[in-house]
Amino acid sequence: MGERVRRGYALCLGLVAVTVAGCMVPVLGDPLPRPVAMGRTDGGHLKIVVPLCDGEVVSAVEVQEHQTWRLVWRASLPVRTAERYGTIILGDASGFGRQETPLREAVPPHVSVSVKLSSGSTAGRGFLVGEVVGDGRVSDLDGEVLTEEEFRRRVTDEYC
C-alpha cells in the first residue's frame, strides 16, 4: 500500500472513531440537573421552588431568556431563610446579599432557571411563564400539577 492510501485509511478510521465517540451517551453522573418548579405567590409574583437535599442551601439563582440566553435576573448570597432553603421570588433582591443583574423589565414568556447549591450541584429547568400555576401548586417536568410539598418530596426522594 502506498503512503497516501495508508493516510487515507488512518484519516477515515479517525473520523469514524470520533463520530462513534460523539454519539455515545456517558454512563457516569446524572445527565439532567435536579428539577426546580415555578408557581405564583398569592400576589401573582413568580416563585421558584428548589427541593434541597440534607445540608444544602441555595447559593445563587440565575434566570435567562430561553432562546437568546440573555440574562434576565441574577442574585447570590441568600440572607433570608426562605431563599436559603429554596423559595425564591423572581426579581426580589431583598432576600439576597448580592444582586448582580436586577430584573429591569417584564419576565420573558420562556425562561430558563438555574440555581447553584452549596453542594456544588445545580438545579434548573425551563418554563413557559404563561403556564405557571398558583394557589400553592407547581407543575413538574411531566406537566403534572402538584402541591409544592409533593413536588419537593418527589424530587428529594429521587435525587437525595
Side-chain angles (χ1 to χ4, degrees):
M1 249 191 255
E3 185 63 28
R4 287 180 70 167
V5 173
R6 272 185 266 186
R7 284 186 187 174
Y9 282 127
L11 179 62
C12 186
L13 279 173
L15 288 173
V16 167
V18 168
T19 301
V20 169
C23 293
M24 294 176 67
V25 177
V27 293
L28 299 175
D30 192 349
L32 298 174
R34 186 182 318 162
V36 300
M38 190 178 281
R40 293 192 183 271
T41 65
D42 291 339
H45 298 286
L46 294 170
K47 174 175 55 175
I48 301 164
V49 177
V50 186
L52 302 170
C53 297
D54 288 340
E56 285 183 325
V57 293
V58 169
S59 298
V61 61
E62 184 173 284
V63 178
Q64 297 178 325
E65 196 280 324
H66 184 71
Q67 292 179 322
T68 65
W69 297 106
R70 178 180 54 84
L71 191 58
V72 174
W73 184 60
R74 179 169 167 55
S76 60
L77 304 171
V79 294
R80 290 191 307 213
T81 301
E83 286 81 359
R84 287 179 55 77
Y85 292 102
T87 302
I88 301 163
I89 307 303
L90 197 150
D92 181 6
S94 63
F96 292 89
R98 290 183 53 196
Q99 177 177 239
E100 291 87 358
T101 305
L103 181 64
R104 298 183 194 262
E105 57 191 57
V107 177
H110 195 184
V111 295
S112 293
V113 175
S114 179
V115 180
K116 299 225 185 274
L117 306 174
S118 60
S119 63
S121 296
T122 301
R125 180 177 162 210
F127 296 95
L128 290 171
V129 174
E131 295 180 4
V132 174
V133 296
D135 298 325
R137 300 173 301 144
V138 297
S139 58
D140 69 4
L141 285 173
D142 299 323
E144 183 180 358
V145 176
L146 309 164
T147 65
E148 287 182 38
E149 294 77 23
E150 180 66 14
F151 173 74
R152 287 180 192 273
R153 187 188 62 72
R154 283 187 183 184
V155 173
T156 55
D157 285 352
E158 185 174 338
Y159 286 84
C160 299

